[in-house]
Amino acid sequence: MLALVNKQHFVQCGTDTITQNDIDQGIVNIVVGFAPLKPAEFVIIKFQQRAQARLT
């Protein structure tokens, strides 16, 4: 699990954001939060990357 946290930002990627079903489907979920003005006010952005199906 990757979790970087400080008073201005954080990044989460791991078992807390990705389920076994996501892994089976080739999905990675990443959560990023940052405080643009004050540490008490966070903007949270969630990213999802899906593995591309292989063409045969």
Side-chain angles (χ1 to χ4, degrees), residues 4-34:
L4 303 174
V5 179
N6 71 23
K7 294 180 181 179
Q8 294 84 29
H9 68 277
F10 68 87
V11 177
Q12 295 176 329
C13 180
T15 56
D16 55 337
T17 62
I18 304 170
T19 65
Q20 185 60 48
N21 187 45
D22 292 335
I23 293 169
D24 294 343
Q25 294 183 28
I27 297 172
V28 176
N29 297 308
I30 302 167
V31 179
V32 178
F34 64 93

Side-chain angles (χ1 to χ4, degrees), residues 40-53:
E41 298 177 1
F42 273 88
V43 174
I44 298 174
I45 303 170
K46 295 181 181 182
F47 296 94
Q48 186 178 79
Q49 176 68 43
R50 294 177 182 251
Q52 185 175 4

